[in-house]
Amino acid sequence: MAQERMLKFVGKGQSFPEKREPNLRAEDFREIANRYAPEKAAEQASRCSQCGVPYCSVHCPLGNHIPDWLRLTAEGRLREAYELSNLTSSMPEICGRICPQDRLCEGNCVIEFSGHGAVTIGSVEKYITDTAWTEGWVEPIEAGPARGQSVGIIGAGPGGLTAAEQLRIAGYEVHIYDRYDRAGGLLTYGIPGFKLEKDVVMRRVDRLQVAGVVFHLNFEVGRDASLDELRAKHDSILIATGVYKARDIKTPGSGLSGIHAALDYLTASNRKSFGDAVPAFDNGTLNAEGKNVVVIGGGDTAMDCVRTAIRQGAKSVKCVYRRDRENMPGSQREVANAEEEGVEFVWLAAPKAFDGTERVEKVHVSKMRLGAPDASGRRSPEQDPEGDFILDADMVIMALGFEPEDLPGLFGSPDLNVTRWGTIRADHVTGMTNLEGVFAVGDIVRGASLVVWAIKDGRDVVEHMHRWMAANVRTTKAAA
Ligand SMILES: Cc1cc2nc3c(=O)[nH]c(=O)nc-3n(C[C@H](O)[C@H](O)[C@H](O)COP(=O)(O)OP(=O)(O)OC[C@H]3O[C@@H](n4cnc5c(N)ncnc54)[C@H](O)[C@@H]3O)c2cc1C
Ligand code: SF4
């Protein structure tokens, strides 16, 4: 249904105003522009061999019709390419920028297999939809005939925003509650602006707002309302709260000042790019300029931290990771980018203690080696008796990953079922939790994952929410 409606939208030729946030750093735009000049789109698209089995599409979580929109791009039929790309994705220009393509579509391109380098699918995808925004081909969302039912969505990240769009199209009143002051979730405050410009996110949010989606920002469920209160207000609820509890390691000296959680550091930097006053950045606490920075961790968040520190003018940036390059969880492409920019990787190393008087000054590091594979088949790191060493550090950033918060406790809903990892236990097909009419999507179900998967979940869940609400019509509730 949603796809038919989207098809109906395209071709009307109405433009949608593009709003730019002030104070975005010019060099952020330059970097992205330099990385991929628009005229390369057709050239890259024409490299697609249109092979019989589109492995790229199979490995795209959204099942995007990649070879088809590449062909249209190669033929200069950009508007049709956009329409096709828009059919299966709610945020193609965002996925094109930040999907780890080397692990998804591009990593499975047959041209890559033949040793000639993958078609740069993500860059073409970004180019197509950026052009659509510039040319006014991106239509306003057309809300369906009002059904007299409302949905409350907790969390304005990609999962919640995607579902909101589809629910509005289906005619539901949609209210999104988010504890941050801006919508977008990790698109806004996690992922740095040099990878994803903030106006690109905000124009998607604005489009939803124009379509009548009501945003309740600075609204924390658990503090400003319980889950039960929201259930009483709405016909159905979608939980899309992501995972925010930073993993920690118990290391002597970890209480010293100058040691920060990755998300605090990245959020401060992102707030600056919006032009916000950020005292902890302005007084130098969360600013890496002139400092010896050590980032602990080997995932994509760690890569974002090291690359942000380089851009802030750090004196030196080291990334300490307990496994080797081949066994790190972060994208190899991001590692290569970071190395090119001057980041030094210290593989097979783990912090043993932080040292300093009040502020951190040194990191004592243990050498590690890879032992026998664990239950997951990955070789476990163990301490190498060969020795320890010391790194200078004025700033340490802990990027060890994220876990779910205690949602049943936070929401005042001890009956909400969660797994032993704290993620919400939702039906694999419908996305419904054990609470009637309460659904869940994105990282809070999968654990820390990817934007493209949150988008996929947000698109998939709407059909099941719709079915449930159609079968459970009750007196309309007053949505505040
Ligand atoms: C630093 C970093 C970089 C990343 N880079 C990439 C990348 O390059 N590519 C990629 O694909 N993925 C990346 N990811 C992962 C990606 O951002 C997430 O998988 C994705 O954002 C999950 O979407 P979501 O909608 O489930 O949750 P989120 O984006 O986390 O959004 C959840 C929202 O819920 C709100 N919320 C939480 N609790 C409450 C509450 N109690 N009341 C009200 N609101 C609440 C939060 O404020 C937030 O706005 C990155 C993650 C991090 C941390
Ligand atoms: S959504 Fe991600 S995986 Fe799918 S085509 Fe786009 S960049 Fe590739």
Side-chain angles (χ1 to χ4, degrees), residues 163 167 236-239 424-442 445-446 456-469 472:
L167 285 161
S236 184
I237 295 288
L238 179 66
I239 303 175
I424 289 185
R425 198 184 285 281
D427 184 278
H428 292 307
V429 177
T430 65
M432 194 155 92
T433 67
N434 65 309
L435 304 180
E436 281 291 295
V438 177
F439 295 77
V441 292
V445 177
R446 294 178 176 273
K456 158 123 179 89
D457 290 353
R459 292 174 72 88
D460 288 352
V461 80
V462 166
E463 181 193 338
H464 301 287
M465 294 181 80
H466 170 63
R467 276 199 209 148
W468 190 87
M469 284 188 280
N472 292 275

Side-chain angles (χ1 to χ4, degrees), residues 56-57 59-64 66 69 89 91-92 95-101 104-106 121-123 125 452:
C56 52
S57 296
H59 288 87
C60 165
L62 294 166
N64 281 343
I66 301 165
W69 46 251
S89 177
M91 305 178 184
C95 292
R97 282 169 166 85
I98 49 101
C99 266
Q101 286 100 8
L104 299 170
C105 53
E106 293 178 20
I121 296 167
S123 300
E125 184 181 33
V452 66

Side-chain angles (χ1 to χ4, degrees), residues 10 20 22 26 40 82 110 113 123 128 130 189 215 247 274 291 301 316 392:
V10 290
R20 283 198 177 272
K40 283 193 190 156
Y82 157 69
V110 293
F113 295 158
S123 300
I128 293 168
D130 278 352
Y189 285 136
F215 286 87
R247 280 200 199 113
F274 276 108
K291 293 181 181 164
T301 301
S316 72
D392 287 337

Side-chain angles (χ1 to χ4, degrees), residues 282-302:
D282 298 333
N283 68 21
T285 308
L286 291 175
N287 184 354
E289 189 177 356
K291 293 181 181 164
N292 291 310
V293 178
V294 173
V295 175
I296 314 284
D300 288 333
T301 301

Side-chain angles (χ1 to χ4, degrees), residues 155-192:
L161 295 179
T162 300
E165 175 170 348
Q166 303 296 327
L167 285 161
R168 208 56 205 115
I169 290 168
Y172 294 99
E173 192 183 323
V174 180
H175 291 251
I176 305 189
Y177 302 87
D178 200 290
R179 64 183 171 194
Y180 280 137
D181 57 342
R182 289 187 179 90
L186 290 171
L187 300 177
T188 297
Y189 285 136
I191 302 173

Side-chain angles (χ1 to χ4, degrees), residues 315-341:
K315 194 166 152 196
S316 72
V317 182
K318 294 191 172 62
C319 182
V320 170
Y321 181 56
R322 62 196 178 135
R323 291 187 165 94
D324 60 5
R325 186 184 193 119
E326 287 68 44
N327 286 286
M328 69 178 293
S331 156
Q332 291 297 328
R333 193 179 283 185
E334 282 293 282
V335 178
N337 288 336
E339 276 179 332
E340 244 174 56
E341 291 166 6

